[in-house]
């Protein structure tokens, strides 16, 4: 089933599948692919159609919350496109899914048309089973596109636009988890810290350190160097040093170049100066 | 003529021309291209053949020293290949140019088979006009491949392998050019400083600063962060601060990632984590 869905996306010339990850407990797969503005729309639509034909949510169980056969469809700007382009794409693909596949569509994150739908958890509240009734009677749950009723087997889909996310952890030379928790609270956006930063404090018993674990949801708003310096300053004030840090998963080239430029005190450094970009880009 | 040579290189499927730069005073063009191991050999050979058919060195004048229609052919490892691969490629293409085009070939830099030929200036001494006699009579000027006489119109060619070069300048908050010259002397390899580093001191009158101007000829031997820290330390000892620095032209992704990792104190960071690399690589 997963292969068929991936094949339907890849059937669009110009689409490149970067990754397919499936989790049996979640009973959920994530397909990551790239393409030009038009290409990516067509690939996403074909993926949505294949999922709606192959998956019956009435028979679906899994630990991860879900409301649709295709559950979420976020568009992320990588190169030569802006978040605004991705919002436009999300609206176009969302409208097409609503009209052609008769699946209700909710716009979320940067593509949201209603502030309460920025957060995906609000959109997905009640999941497939709960939304079946709510979409009929609760005006606040009316979809942005498509029919005001769930698709009988494919449910509903959340279509969004967001920046690429950076997962960034800083380990502190301390065994006191409260220090990590305090620093996390100081720097995260939700408690008045740095915008577009989520942070939690953990103890890493195997390593004998504590960790400030972060998600940077828009590295162009709060640079990774700014986050690192903020953690260092907060740690220093508590008499604690940084042990090391780590990037979990992928990081955009622009963010890496920003760090290199900061290190070298370079005022004018462009990712166009990266040799491989000339070859590959 | 230049277009014809570039076209001959590009005629090999898989070759990507990155850059063509021509300097009228030098009367010399530099063509930069990439390709797989086999592809790049065929492209280089076709370029050598086209240049040898189109350029008559007896009628050629220019400010830059030269000994051949194709003067130098360096192979540079970018991605998925090592300097040893490039040495092997240089030897293969050199042998083919010698045999099929009847042009004498000198192996230089990392591809050199004789230590005195590592330095290109030694290989090119006397240029086209001077080498015509020397190659016949001076054993130390016998070529590594091909006939022991110049090609009547195309001369000789130097084929080599080298690492990509990083041009890196650090500006100091000082107007005393002697400080820049002292620091350059301290850090450059030729006066016992950091290996694979060339450095000179200059005054930048327009900016009101002095500059340590460097070429890093193998950034995997002496990292750019090491060079920056060394300049900072030397400057500090002389009571001078760093104003800013600059990368001139291109820099390999690996070197940028190394700087980012140093800034963040990351012990395990791979250029494979760069998002664009997954898309383009």
């Amino acid at each position: 089933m997963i292969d068929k869905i991936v094949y339907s996306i890849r059937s669009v010339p110009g689409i490149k599948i970067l990754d397919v990850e499936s989790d049996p407990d979640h009973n959920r797969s994530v397909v990551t692919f790239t393409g030009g503005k038009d290409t990516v729309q067509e690939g996403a639509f074909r993926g949505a159609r294949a999922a709606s034909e192959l998956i019956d949510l009435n028979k679906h169980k899994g630990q991860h919350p879900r409301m649709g056969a295709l559950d979420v469809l976020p568009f992320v700007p990588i190169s030569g496109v802006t978040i605004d382009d991705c919002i436009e794409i999300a609206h176009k693909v969302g409208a097409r899914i609503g009209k052609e596949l008769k699946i209700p569509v909710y716009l979320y994150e940067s593509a949201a048309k209603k502030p309460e739908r920025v957060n995906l958890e609000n959109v997905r509240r009640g999941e497939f089973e709960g939304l079946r009734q709510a979409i009929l009677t609760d005006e606040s749950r009316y979809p942005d596109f498509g029919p005001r009723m769930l698709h009988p087997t494919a449910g509903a889909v959340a279509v969004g636009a967001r920046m690429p996310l950076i997962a960034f952890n800083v380990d502190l030379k301390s065994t006191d988890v409260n220090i990590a928790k305090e620093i996390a609270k100081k720097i995260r956006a939700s408690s008045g810290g740095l915008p577009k930063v989520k942070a939690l404090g953990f103890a890493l018993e195997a390593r004998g350190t504590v960790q400030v674990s972060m998600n940077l949801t828009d590295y162009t708003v709060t640079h990774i160097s700014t986050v690192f310096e903020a953690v260092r300053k907060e740690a220093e004030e508590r008499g604690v040093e940084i042990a090391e840090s780590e990037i979990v998963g992928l990081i955009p080239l622009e963010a890496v170049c920003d760090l290199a430029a900061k290190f070298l005190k370079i005022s004018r450094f462009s990712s166009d100066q990266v040799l491989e970009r000339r070859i590959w880009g």
Side-chain angles (χ1 to χ4, degrees), chain A:
Chain A
M1 198 182 280
I2 298 166
D3 285 349
K4 281 184 187 164
I5 294 168
V6 173
Y7 185 83
S8 75
I9 298 168
R10 232 183 32 200
S11 69
V12 181
I15 289 283
K16 183 165 180 179
I17 305 285
L18 297 190
D19 196 33
V20 181
E21 265 187 69
S22 298
D23 184 301
D25 291 325
H26 287 177
N27 194 11
R28 184 179 179 89
S29 296
V30 178
V31 184
T32 310
F33 59 95
T34 58
K37 283 186 204 175
D38 294 331
T39 313
V40 95
Q41 289 179 49
E42 183 61 28
F45 179 79
R46 291 193 196 175
R49 187 172 55 196
S52 74
E53 290 166 356
L54 292 164
I55 299 169
D56 180 356
L57 270 205
N58 299 287
K59 299 173 188 165
H60 177 274
K61 281 203 171 77
Q63 290 188 5
H64 195 287
R66 83 288 177 270
M67 63 176 190
L70 169 62
D71 191 51
V72 288
L73 176 58
F75 293 92
V76 179
I78 301 298
S79 182
V81 286
T82 63
I83 186 72
D84 287 335
D85 295 325
C86 287
I87 293 169
E88 199 187 317
I89 290 169
H91 290 180
K92 279 191 198 168
V93 175
R96 193 174 166 202
I97 290 173
K99 193 178 171 199
E100 297 186 32
L101 304 182
K102 311 272 185 281
I103 299 173
V105 170
Y106 297 90
L107 297 169
Y108 80 106
E109 287 220 10
S110 298
K113 289 187 173 180
K114 299 175 180 175
E116 66 275 18
R117 292 189 181 171
V118 169
N119 191 331
L120 180 61
E121 281 67 48
N122 290 341
V123 172
R124 204 157 45 192
R125 194 160 23 88
E127 300 189 42
F128 177 68
E129 291 76 8
L131 192 57
R132 187 180 280 139
Q133 185 59 32
I135 195 174
L136 300 172
T137 54
D138 180 351
E139 202 173 331
S140 77
R141 307 300 297 274
Y142 286 177
D144 292 296
F145 298 115
R148 280 188 196 161
M149 54 178 294
L150 283 193
H151 185 284
T153 56
V157 54
V159 179
R162 61 168 177 80
M163 289 295 287
L165 183 142
I166 300 174
F168 176 50
N169 298 330
V170 179
D171 290 6
L172 306 176
K173 287 183 185 167
S174 169
T175 50
D176 182 355
V177 70
N178 290 321
I179 290 180
K181 286 179 191 291
E182 269 177 46
I183 295 174
K185 196 177 173 191
K186 266 282 202 184
I187 66 159
R188 69 182 165 228
S190 64
S191 48
L194 298 165
K196 306 290 181 183
V197 174
K198 297 176 178 182
L200 289 170
F202 293 111
L204 299 180
E205 281 163 24
R207 296 191 203 169
T209 59
V210 297
Q211 183 178 76
V212 184
S213 178
M214 293 163 285
N215 275 336
L216 317 188
T217 58
D218 188 343
Y219 69 93
T220 63
V221 171
T222 300
H223 287 221
I224 188 165
S225 55
T226 308
V227 174
F228 182 76
E229 292 298 352
V231 173
R232 178 155 69 186
K233 184 176 151 284
E234 294 295 334
E236 209 170 71
E237 284 175 10
R238 289 162 179 81
V240 172
E241 273 180 69
I242 286 174
E244 63 170 332
S245 65
E246 62 178 342
I247 303 285
V248 184
L250 301 181
I251 176 170
L253 180 61
E254 289 288 348
V256 179
C257 289
D258 170 59
L259 289 165
K262 279 279 174 4
F263 185 94
L264 297 178
K265 296 191 172 192
I266 299 181
S267 51
R268 299 169 303 278
F269 180 62
S270 158
S271 64
D272 284 338
Q273 290 182 258
V274 176
L275 189 55
E276 284 83 349
R277 190 172 181 143
R278 295 288 177 98
I279 301 171
W280 295 332

mmCIF file of all heavy atoms in Angstrom, chain A residues 17-55:
data_model
loop_
_atom_site.group_PDB
_atom_site.id
_atom_site.type_symbol
_atom_site.label_atom_id
_atom_site.label_comp_id
_atom_site.label_asym_id
_atom_site.label_seq_id
_atom_site.Cartn_x
_atom_site.Cartn_y
_atom_site.Cartn_z
ATOM 1 N N ILE A 17 11.881 11.604 -4.508
ATOM 2 C CA ILE A 17 11.519 11.104 -3.181
ATOM 3 C C ILE A 17 12.779 11.128 -2.318
ATOM 4 O O ILE A 17 13.778 10.499 -2.660
ATOM 5 C CB ILE A 17 10.969 9.660 -3.261
ATOM 6 C CG1 ILE A 17 9.794 9.561 -4.246
ATOM 7 C CG2 ILE A 17 10.595 9.140 -1.870
ATOM 8 C CD1 ILE A 17 8.491 10.131 -3.768
ATOM 9 N N LEU A 18 12.747 11.871 -1.217
ATOM 10 C CA LEU A 18 13.931 11.957 -0.351
ATOM 11 C C LEU A 18 13.908 10.885 0.724
ATOM 12 O O LEU A 18 14.946 10.395 1.132
ATOM 13 C CB LEU A 18 14.007 13.319 0.344
ATOM 14 C CG LEU A 18 14.176 14.559 -0.516
ATOM 15 C CD1 LEU A 18 14.465 15.747 0.373
ATOM 16 C CD2 LEU A 18 15.288 14.371 -1.530
ATOM 17 N N ASP A 19 12.732 10.557 1.211
ATOM 18 C CA ASP A 19 12.666 9.685 2.375
ATOM 19 C C ASP A 19 11.252 9.102 2.523
ATOM 20 O O ASP A 19 10.279 9.782 2.233
ATOM 21 C CB ASP A 19 13.002 10.520 3.631
ATOM 22 C CG ASP A 19 13.343 9.649 4.824
ATOM 23 O OD1 ASP A 19 13.911 8.559 4.637
ATOM 24 O OD2 ASP A 19 13.026 10.053 5.957
ATOM 25 N N VAL A 20 11.188 7.851 2.933
ATOM 26 C CA VAL A 20 9.909 7.235 3.313
ATOM 27 C C VAL A 20 10.141 6.566 4.655
ATOM 28 O O VAL A 20 11.013 5.708 4.783
ATOM 29 C CB VAL A 20 9.439 6.174 2.286
ATOM 30 C CG1 VAL A 20 8.094 5.577 2.711
ATOM 31 C CG2 VAL A 20 9.343 6.757 0.883
ATOM 32 N N GLU A 21 9.410 6.991 5.668
ATOM 33 C CA GLU A 21 9.564 6.403 7.003
ATOM 34 C C GLU A 21 8.227 5.871 7.475
ATOM 35 O O GLU A 21 7.225 6.583 7.439
ATOM 36 C CB GLU A 21 10.050 7.466 7.991
ATOM 37 C CG GLU A 21 11.561 7.451 8.160
ATOM 38 C CD GLU A 21 11.990 8.399 9.258
ATOM 39 O OE1 GLU A 21 11.696 8.128 10.432
ATOM 40 O OE2 GLU A 21 12.618 9.414 8.921
ATOM 41 N N SER A 22 8.221 4.616 7.917
ATOM 42 C CA SER A 22 6.976 4.004 8.391
ATOM 43 C C SER A 22 7.171 3.523 9.821
ATOM 44 O O SER A 22 8.187 2.917 10.135
ATOM 45 C CB SER A 22 6.607 2.811 7.503
ATOM 46 O OG SER A 22 6.390 3.263 6.184
ATOM 47 N N ASP A 23 6.184 3.809 10.653
ATOM 48 C CA ASP A 23 6.256 3.390 12.052
ATOM 49 C C ASP A 23 5.082 2.448 12.337
ATOM 50 O O ASP A 23 3.922 2.848 12.248
ATOM 51 C CB ASP A 23 6.188 4.624 12.957
ATOM 52 C CG ASP A 23 6.368 4.261 14.418
ATOM 53 O OD1 ASP A 23 5.556 3.443 14.936
ATOM 54 O OD2 ASP A 23 7.302 4.760 15.056
ATOM 55 N N PRO A 24 5.369 1.181 12.666
ATOM 56 C CA PRO A 24 4.291 0.209 12.879
ATOM 57 C C PRO A 24 3.402 0.555 14.068
ATOM 58 O O PRO A 24 2.186 0.340 14.009
ATOM 59 C CB PRO A 24 5.021 -1.117 13.119
ATOM 60 C CG PRO A 24 6.478 -0.835 13.084
ATOM 61 C CD PRO A 24 6.700 0.603 12.828
ATOM 62 N N ASP A 25 3.974 1.088 15.158
ATOM 63 C CA ASP A 25 3.141 1.455 16.308
ATOM 64 C C ASP A 25 2.192 2.595 15.952
ATOM 65 O O ASP A 25 1.019 2.573 16.298
ATOM 66 C CB ASP A 25 4.010 1.876 17.498
ATOM 67 C CG ASP A 25 4.777 0.690 18.066
ATOM 68 O OD1 ASP A 25 4.206 -0.426 18.060
ATOM 69 O OD2 ASP A 25 5.931 0.878 18.481
ATOM 70 N N HIS A 26 2.746 3.582 15.271
ATOM 71 C CA HIS A 26 1.910 4.706 14.849
ATOM 72 C C HIS A 26 0.982 4.284 13.708
ATOM 73 O O HIS A 26 -0.031 4.914 13.466
ATOM 74 C CB HIS A 26 2.775 5.868 14.383
ATOM 75 C CG HIS A 26 3.470 6.579 15.512
ATOM 76 N ND1 HIS A 26 4.349 7.609 15.308
ATOM 77 C CD2 HIS A 26 3.418 6.400 16.857
ATOM 78 C CE1 HIS A 26 4.799 8.035 16.469
ATOM 79 N NE2 HIS A 26 4.252 7.309 17.427
ATOM 80 N N ASN A 27 1.364 3.227 13.005
ATOM 81 C CA ASN A 27 0.633 2.770 11.804
ATOM 82 C C ASN A 27 0.472 3.951 10.853
ATOM 83 O O ASN A 27 -0.634 4.301 10.428
ATOM 84 C CB ASN A 27 -0.723 2.166 12.191
ATOM 85 C CG ASN A 27 -1.325 1.390 11.040
ATOM 86 O OD1 ASN A 27 -0.660 1.126 10.044
ATOM 87 N ND2 ASN A 27 -2.598 1.034 11.160
ATOM 88 N N ARG A 28 1.610 4.537 10.515
ATOM 89 C CA ARG A 28 1.631 5.848 9.859
ATOM 90 C C ARG A 28 2.939 5.951 9.076
ATOM 91 O O ARG A 28 3.981 5.516 9.559
ATOM 92 C CB ARG A 28 1.598 6.899 10.967
ATOM 93 C CG ARG A 28 1.519 8.331 10.528
ATOM 94 C CD ARG A 28 1.463 9.218 11.779
ATOM 95 N NE ARG A 28 1.414 10.614 11.420
ATOM 96 C CZ ARG A 28 0.310 11.292 11.188
ATOM 97 N NH1 ARG A 28 -0.847 10.695 11.303
ATOM 98 N NH2 ARG A 28 0.361 12.564 10.840
ATOM 99 N N SER A 29 2.869 6.511 7.863
ATOM 100 C CA SER A 29 4.081 6.689 7.061
ATOM 101 C C SER A 29 4.260 8.161 6.694
ATOM 102 O O SER A 29 3.279 8.867 6.468
ATOM 103 C CB SER A 29 4.002 5.865 5.775
ATOM 104 O OG SER A 29 3.966 4.488 6.091
ATOM 105 N N VAL A 30 5.530 8.581 6.640
ATOM 106 C CA VAL A 30 5.850 9.942 6.218
ATOM 107 C C VAL A 30 6.655 9.852 4.924
ATOM 108 O O VAL A 30 7.702 9.207 4.886
ATOM 109 C CB VAL A 30 6.673 10.692 7.296
ATOM 110 C CG1 VAL A 30 7.044 12.091 6.809
ATOM 111 C CG2 VAL A 30 5.917 10.758 8.610
ATOM 112 N N VAL A 31 6.140 10.471 3.866
ATOM 113 C CA VAL A 31 6.841 10.504 2.586
ATOM 114 C C VAL A 31 7.346 11.928 2.379
ATOM 115 O O VAL A 31 6.562 12.874 2.441
ATOM 116 C CB VAL A 31 5.910 10.119 1.414
ATOM 117 C CG1 VAL A 31 6.689 10.065 0.105
ATOM 118 C CG2 VAL A 31 5.224 8.797 1.699
ATOM 119 N N THR A 32 8.660 12.077 2.176
ATOM 120 C CA THR A 32 9.237 13.403 1.949
ATOM 121 C C THR A 32 9.701 13.483 0.505
ATOM 122 O O THR A 32 10.458 12.628 0.051
ATOM 123 C CB THR A 32 10.439 13.629 2.888
ATOM 124 O OG1 THR A 32 10.050 13.307 4.218
ATOM 125 C CG2 THR A 32 10.932 15.060 2.833
ATOM 126 N N PHE A 33 9.256 14.491 -0.218
ATOM 127 C CA PHE A 33 9.678 14.614 -1.618
ATOM 128 C C PHE A 33 9.845 16.077 -2.011
ATOM 129 O O PHE A 33 9.308 16.971 -1.363
ATOM 130 C CB PHE A 33 8.703 13.901 -2.571
ATOM 131 C CG PHE A 33 7.278 14.391 -2.520
ATOM 132 C CD1 PHE A 33 6.829 15.351 -3.414
ATOM 133 C CD2 PHE A 33 6.392 13.876 -1.597
ATOM 134 C CE1 PHE A 33 5.507 15.798 -3.386
ATOM 135 C CE2 PHE A 33 5.074 14.321 -1.563
ATOM 136 C CZ PHE A 33 4.635 15.282 -2.447
ATOM 137 N N THR A 34 10.644 16.293 -3.063
ATOM 138 C CA THR A 34 10.881 17.652 -3.557
ATOM 139 C C THR A 34 10.513 17.742 -5.030
ATOM 140 O O THR A 34 10.433 16.733 -5.730
ATOM 141 C CB THR A 34 12.369 18.042 -3.438
ATOM 142 O OG1 THR A 34 13.132 17.087 -4.170
ATOM 143 C CG2 THR A 34 12.825 18.087 -2.018
ATOM 144 N N GLY A 35 10.367 18.972 -5.458
ATOM 145 C CA GLY A 35 10.075 19.228 -6.866
ATOM 146 C C GLY A 35 9.861 20.714 -7.059
ATOM 147 O O GLY A 35 9.818 21.477 -6.082
ATOM 148 N N GLY A 36 9.739 21.151 -8.293
ATOM 149 C CA GLY A 36 9.430 22.547 -8.598
ATOM 150 C C GLY A 36 8.017 22.884 -8.151
ATOM 151 O O GLY A 36 7.251 21.998 -7.736
ATOM 152 N N LYS A 37 7.674 24.162 -8.263
ATOM 153 C CA LYS A 37 6.374 24.627 -7.745
ATOM 154 C C LYS A 37 5.199 23.839 -8.313
ATOM 155 O O LYS A 37 4.310 23.431 -7.574
ATOM 156 C CB LYS A 37 6.185 26.114 -8.075
ATOM 157 C CG LYS A 37 6.969 27.047 -7.169
ATOM 158 C CD LYS A 37 6.596 28.484 -7.481
ATOM 159 C CE LYS A 37 7.710 29.430 -7.063
ATOM 160 N NZ LYS A 37 7.440 30.814 -7.446
ATOM 161 N N ASP A 38 5.166 23.630 -9.622
ATOM 162 C CA ASP A 38 4.031 22.931 -10.232
ATOM 163 C C ASP A 38 4.114 21.425 -9.985
ATOM 164 O O ASP A 38 3.124 20.779 -9.637
ATOM 165 C CB ASP A 38 3.995 23.204 -11.741
ATOM 166 C CG ASP A 38 3.712 24.681 -12.017
ATOM 167 O OD1 ASP A 38 3.034 25.311 -11.178
ATOM 168 O OD2 ASP A 38 4.186 25.193 -13.036
ATOM 169 N N THR A 39 5.319 20.913 -10.160
ATOM 170 C CA THR A 39 5.572 19.490 -9.991
ATOM 171 C C THR A 39 5.111 18.997 -8.629
ATOM 172 O O THR A 39 4.456 17.960 -8.504
ATOM 173 C CB THR A 39 7.097 19.257 -10.102
ATOM 174 O OG1 THR A 39 7.569 19.959 -11.234
ATOM 175 C CG2 THR A 39 7.428 17.798 -10.209
ATOM 176 N N VAL A 40 5.471 19.738 -7.599
ATOM 177 C CA VAL A 40 5.220 19.308 -6.230
ATOM 178 C C VAL A 40 3.710 19.305 -5.938
ATOM 179 O O VAL A 40 3.210 18.469 -5.189
ATOM 180 C CB VAL A 40 6.061 20.195 -5.269
ATOM 181 C CG1 VAL A 40 5.276 21.360 -4.743
ATOM 182 C CG2 VAL A 40 6.690 19.376 -4.171
ATOM 183 N N GLN A 41 2.996 20.224 -6.574
ATOM 184 C CA GLN A 41 1.533 20.256 -6.407
ATOM 185 C C GLN A 41 0.899 18.997 -6.992
ATOM 186 O O GLN A 41 0.033 18.379 -6.374
ATOM 187 C CB GLN A 41 0.942 21.477 -7.125
ATOM 188 C CG GLN A 41 1.267 22.784 -6.457
ATOM 189 C CD GLN A 41 0.683 23.970 -7.206
ATOM 190 O OE1 GLN A 41 -0.483 23.977 -7.559
ATOM 191 N NE2 GLN A 41 1.504 24.972 -7.441
ATOM 192 N N GLU A 42 1.340 18.647 -8.193
ATOM 193 C CA GLU A 42 0.776 17.481 -8.867
ATOM 194 C C GLU A 42 1.129 16.200 -8.091
ATOM 195 O O GLU A 42 0.288 15.333 -7.890
ATOM 196 C CB GLU A 42 1.295 17.410 -10.311
ATOM 197 C CG GLU A 42 0.724 16.278 -11.142
ATOM 198 C CD GLU A 42 -0.803 16.338 -11.316
ATOM 199 O OE1 GLU A 42 -1.367 17.446 -11.273
ATOM 200 O OE2 GLU A 42 -1.400 15.258 -11.482
ATOM 201 N N GLY A 43 2.382 16.106 -7.625
ATOM 202 C CA GLY A 43 2.808 14.935 -6.850
ATOM 203 C C GLY A 43 1.994 14.799 -5.570
ATOM 204 O O GLY A 43 1.542 13.704 -5.214
ATOM 205 N N ALA A 44 1.787 15.925 -4.890
ATOM 206 C CA ALA A 44 1.017 15.902 -3.640
ATOM 207 C C ALA A 44 -0.427 15.477 -3.910
ATOM 208 O O ALA A 44 -0.997 14.666 -3.173
ATOM 209 C CB ALA A 44 1.060 17.280 -2.979
ATOM 210 N N PHE A 45 -0.992 16.018 -4.991
ATOM 211 C CA PHE A 45 -2.380 15.654 -5.301
ATOM 212 C C PHE A 45 -2.501 14.161 -5.598
ATOM 213 O O PHE A 45 -3.404 13.490 -5.103
ATOM 214 C CB PHE A 45 -2.922 16.481 -6.474
ATOM 215 C CG PHE A 45 -4.334 16.098 -6.823
ATOM 216 C CD1 PHE A 45 -5.397 16.562 -6.065
ATOM 217 C CD2 PHE A 45 -4.587 15.220 -7.873
ATOM 218 C CE1 PHE A 45 -6.702 16.168 -6.353
ATOM 219 C CE2 PHE A 45 -5.893 14.829 -8.166
ATOM 220 C CZ PHE A 45 -6.945 15.300 -7.399
ATOM 221 N N ARG A 46 -1.562 13.651 -6.399
ATOM 222 C CA ARG A 46 -1.640 12.217 -6.739
ATOM 223 C C ARG A 46 -1.449 11.343 -5.501
ATOM 224 O O ARG A 46 -2.084 10.289 -5.369
ATOM 225 C CB ARG A 46 -0.587 11.858 -7.787
ATOM 226 C CG ARG A 46 -0.904 12.481 -9.143
ATOM 227 C CD ARG A 46 -0.062 11.893 -10.246
ATOM 228 N NE ARG A 46 -0.114 12.739 -11.427
ATOM 229 C CZ ARG A 46 0.593 12.531 -12.530
ATOM 230 N NH1 ARG A 46 1.446 11.508 -12.599
ATOM 231 N NH2 ARG A 46 0.497 13.344 -13.565
ATOM 232 N N GLY A 47 -0.579 11.781 -4.582
ATOM 233 C CA GLY A 47 -0.393 11.048 -3.322
ATOM 234 C C GLY A 47 -1.675 11.050 -2.503
ATOM 235 O O GLY A 47 -2.078 10.026 -1.937
ATOM 236 N N ALA A 48 -2.333 12.213 -2.451
ATOM 237 C CA ALA A 48 -3.593 12.335 -1.709
ATOM 238 C C ALA A 48 -4.650 11.413 -2.311
ATOM 239 O O ALA A 48 -5.380 10.718 -1.588
ATOM 240 C CB ALA A 48 -4.084 13.787 -1.739
ATOM 241 N N ARG A 49 -4.711 11.376 -3.640
ATOM 242 C CA ARG A 49 -5.707 10.545 -4.317
ATOM 243 C C ARG A 49 -5.448 9.059 -4.046
ATOM 244 O O ARG A 49 -6.348 8.305 -3.693
ATOM 245 C CB ARG A 49 -5.685 10.827 -5.821
ATOM 246 C CG ARG A 49 -6.807 10.129 -6.583
ATOM 247 C CD ARG A 49 -6.864 10.595 -8.029
ATOM 248 N NE ARG A 49 -5.569 10.414 -8.676
ATOM 249 C CZ ARG A 49 -5.207 11.002 -9.821
ATOM 250 N NH1 ARG A 49 -6.035 11.824 -10.438
ATOM 251 N NH2 ARG A 49 -4.015 10.776 -10.340
ATOM 252 N N ALA A 50 -4.175 8.655 -4.168
ATOM 253 C CA ALA A 50 -3.829 7.244 -3.937
ATOM 254 C C ALA A 50 -4.167 6.849 -2.500
ATOM 255 O O ALA A 50 -4.752 5.785 -2.252
ATOM 256 C CB ALA A 50 -2.354 7.012 -4.235
ATOM 257 N N ALA A 51 -3.816 7.706 -1.537
ATOM 258 C CA ALA A 51 -4.092 7.385 -0.131
ATOM 259 C C ALA A 51 -5.592 7.255 0.095
ATOM 260 O O ALA A 51 -6.056 6.359 0.813
ATOM 261 C CB ALA A 51 -3.497 8.453 0.784
ATOM 262 N N SER A 52 -6.370 8.131 -0.534
ATOM 263 C CA SER A 52 -7.828 8.111 -0.320
ATOM 264 C C SER A 52 -8.459 6.868 -0.949
ATOM 265 O O SER A 52 -9.498 6.395 -0.498
ATOM 266 C CB SER A 52 -8.477 9.377 -0.876
ATOM 267 O OG SER A 52 -8.510 9.343 -2.297
ATOM 268 N N GLU A 53 -7.828 6.328 -1.993
ATOM 269 C CA GLU A 53 -8.364 5.128 -2.638
ATOM 270 C C GLU A 53 -7.962 3.851 -1.895
ATOM 271 O O GLU A 53 -8.656 2.840 -1.962
ATOM 272 C CB GLU A 53 -7.881 5.043 -4.086
ATOM 273 C CG GLU A 53 -8.523 6.110 -4.989
ATOM 274 C CD GLU A 53 -7.821 6.270 -6.335
ATOM 275 O OE1 GLU A 53 -6.778 5.617 -6.555
ATOM 276 O OE2 GLU A 53 -8.312 7.063 -7.149
ATOM 277 N N LEU A 54 -6.795 3.900 -1.203
ATOM 278 C CA LEU A 54 -6.224 2.678 -0.640
ATOM 279 C C LEU A 54 -6.497 2.486 0.851
ATOM 280 O O LEU A 54 -6.490 1.362 1.350
ATOM 281 C CB LEU A 54 -4.703 2.661 -0.863
ATOM 282 C CG LEU A 54 -4.251 2.516 -2.326
ATOM 283 C CD1 LEU A 54 -2.786 2.905 -2.469
ATOM 284 C CD2 LEU A 54 -4.469 1.074 -2.788
ATOM 285 N N ILE A 55 -6.700 3.592 1.571
ATOM 286 C CA ILE A 55 -6.803 3.500 3.035
ATOM 287 C C ILE A 55 -8.243 3.743 3.483
ATOM 288 O O ILE A 55 -8.859 4.729 3.079
ATOM 289 C CB ILE A 55 -5.858 4.535 3.706
ATOM 290 C CG1 ILE A 55 -4.401 4.252 3.319
ATOM 291 C CG2 ILE A 55 -6.027 4.520 5.226
ATOM 292 C CD1 ILE A 55 -3.425 5.349 3.706
#
